[in-house]
Amino acid sequence: TRQTIFHFTVEGPPHPWVSQHRRAARSPGFLAMQSYQELIRATFLNTFRMRGPPLVDAVVVAMWFCLPIPETCPKREPRRSEWLAHRLKSPGRAVPDVDNMGKAAQDALQGFLIENDSQVVHQSIAKGWDLRPGCGGYTEIAVAARAGGSANGA
């Protein structure tokens, strides 16, 4: 059985995971990812008002990334819906890969909400557009622990 332990929403645009070379200057993408990860941690603390040891049992993670709608998006239907659907799934369209956004968010949880990302035995990740008028994106995160379970499925 699963029991949701934490479910929270992080306001602001999601950012993908970006690698950083040791000797190179920090890129704007890397700095944006770090800020996003700090925002995830701060939102968790503000939502649950607690800080304790991270979970050590096996966990299931669900994440939904809602991206801000670009300024270049048509304003009228049906072109707007067609444009958004095409832009979301077209490679090379400056829409981050869902797995890279998931890695950035999951890394933010590591050592903070979960002890290590190896505890994640199942994850569900999706991306879409933030359709709320005038809003700039958000991330929804839910973490459930497997009762009595371990990361190796025992």
Side-chain angles (χ1 to χ4, degrees), residues 93-115:
R93 293 276 186 187
V95 177
D97 291 342
V98 71
D99 58 332
N100 287 336
M101 289 187 291
K103 181 161 178 46
Q106 191 169 298
D107 281 356
L109 302 176
Q110 184 170 293
F112 193 77
L113 178 55
I114 59 175
E115 190 172 77

Side-chain angles (χ1 to χ4, degrees), residues 78-98:
R79 280 195 71 222
R80 179 180 176 87
S81 294
E82 293 168 359
W83 189 92
L84 289 171
H86 177 73
R87 177 90 180 222
L88 193 62
K89 65 183 179 181
S90 298
R93 293 276 186 187
V95 177
D97 291 342
V98 71

